[in-house]
Amino acid sequence: MSGKLSKTQISAIIACVLLIVACIVYGIIVRFSYSRVSLDCSAYAKAKVCFEQEYAEYLDYNMESMDFETAKAILDDYNYIFKVKCKEIEHCYSCTKYICSVLETVKGDPDESGKDIVLYQWNWFEWEKNGLSLYPTDDMLPMKDGMEYLVFAASKDYCAEYQQTLDKNEYSIGLNYVPTIYILNKTQTEPIDINNDTVYSSLDDKYYLCFSQEALNNVNKVAKQITDYYMD
C-alpha cells in the first residue's frame, strides 16, 4: 500500500486548510472591528436608525391588532418572567447583553429575586462603512440603563460543565409576535417619527417600535393589562 497522497487528497487537504484560515481571519476581523466601539457610548448615541416605510407599516399593523388575550396566550408559554432593573449594557455581536437586578421572580425556578442575572436580546448594533447602525429584530428597542421592565425569557441551554463556570444565570429574552419586554417606570407618549428619529439618541424616550399614535395607544393599553395581570 502506497504511503503517498493522491492529487485529490492533497487538494482536499489544501481546501480544508484554506477554509480554516479564512474562518479564523474572518473571526478576527469581526472581533476587532466591533471592539473599536463596544465601549464608546457616544458611538451608540450617534448610531443610525433607518426604518423603511413598508416595515414601519407592517409593525404598526401588528401593534394595532394586538389584544390582551392573544398576547397572554403567547406570553404564558415562557418559563421565566422577571421584573428587573437594567444595570449594565454590553453591545455584542448579533445581540445586546444586559446585567439586570431581579426585583421579583414572577415565574420560574430557581427564584432569582434579589440576584443579578444576564439577559440577551436579539437586536444589535452593526459596524458599517459609515458608522454604527441599529438593527432591532423584535417590537422593543434595547433596554435602557436604570429602567425597570417586565421580561419574558427562556433559560440559556448550556451544558452543565459550562453552566458551573458562570457567576450569574443567563437567559434569552423572547422573540415573538408580541412584545416580550414591557417598560414599567416610564410611558412612551409619542410614536417614532420615521423622518426625524434617525439616530439612536433621538429614541431616548421611546421603548416600543410604534410609528403611529394609534399603534402606540394600543400597545400602551395592552402593556398595562399585561403588567397588571402578571404582577397582580
Side-chain angles (χ1 to χ4, degrees):
M1 181 176 178
S2 175
K4 294 182 178 180
L5 297 175
S6 67
K7 290 182 178 180
T8 301
Q9 290 173 319
I10 294 174
S11 297
I13 292 172
I14 293 174
C16 289
V17 170
L18 291 176
L19 181 61
I20 292 171
V21 171
C23 290
I24 293 173
V25 171
Y26 177 76
I28 292 172
I29 291 172
V30 170
R31 173 67 180 87
F32 283 95
S33 67
Y34 202 76
S35 64
R36 285 179 296 174
V37 294
S38 60
L39 299 178
D40 182 1
C41 294
S42 64
Y44 294 100
K46 295 179 287 188
K48 180 179 66 175
V49 289
C50 182
F51 301 101
E52 298 292 337
Q53 185 66 41
E54 184 177 354
Y55 180 61
E57 291 173 358
Y58 166 77
L59 289 176
D60 276 350
Y61 174 79
N62 286 345
M63 293 296 204
E64 290 175 26
S65 303
M66 185 174 67
D67 63 83
F68 170 71
E69 291 300 332
T70 301
K72 177 182 174 298
I74 293 172
L75 297 173
D76 276 344
D77 286 340
Y78 288 95
N79 293 326
Y80 296 91
I81 308 174
F82 301 116
K83 177 184 177 182
V84 302
K85 182 174 184 178
C86 183
K87 294 175 60 178
E88 296 180 29
I89 302 170
E90 181 181 349
H91 299 291
C92 304
Y93 184 66
S94 295
C95 66
T96 304
K97 176 183 177 180
Y98 308 96
I99 296 178
C100 293
S101 175
V102 179
L103 304 178
E104 180 182 350
T105 300
V106 178
K107 178 182 178 182
D109 183 29
D111 185 354
E112 300 278 21
S113 299
K115 303 175 184 177
D116 286 351
I117 61 173
V118 173
L119 291 168
Y120 292 94
Q121 185 182 13
W122 303 118
N123 57 27
W124 69 92
F125 292 84
E126 185 168 310
W127 183 252
E128 298 179 331
K129 183 177 180 180
N130 297 319
L132 280 171
S133 293
L134 171 65
Y135 285 89
T137 58
D138 57 18
D139 299 316
M140 285 287 298
L141 288 162
M143 292 200 289
K144 296 176 172 63
D145 187 27
M147 296 290 102
E148 295 179 7
Y149 300 87
L150 182 69
V151 298
F152 296 78
S155 179
K156 296 287 283 184
D157 188 19
Y158 296 137
C159 67
E161 292 77 10
Y162 178 67
Q163 181 67 45
Q164 292 172 359
T165 68
L166 302 175
D167 60 350
K168 303 176 184 65
N169 288 330
E170 300 193 352
Y171 301 85
S172 294
I173 298 172
L175 182 61
N176 223 307
Y177 295 106
V178 299
T180 49
I181 310 173
Y182 294 86
I183 185 73
L184 293 176
N185 55 340
K186 293 285 184 177
T187 300
Q188 184 174 333
T189 58
E190 296 180 353
I192 296 172
D193 185 334
I194 198 170
N195 296 312
N196 294 315
D197 292 332
T198 57
V199 294
Y200 186 56
S201 60
S202 66
L203 304 178
D204 283 348
D205 58 349
K206 309 291 195 308
Y207 309 100
Y208 303 101
L209 285 177
C210 294
F211 301 86
S212 72
Q213 194 64 51
E214 292 78 13
L216 180 59
N217 290 343
N218 189 57
V219 169
N220 282 335
K221 181 185 74 173
V222 175
K224 186 177 188 312
Q225 293 172 320
I226 291 293
T227 53
D228 285 349
Y229 176 82
Y230 286 101
M231 297 176 57
D232 186 7

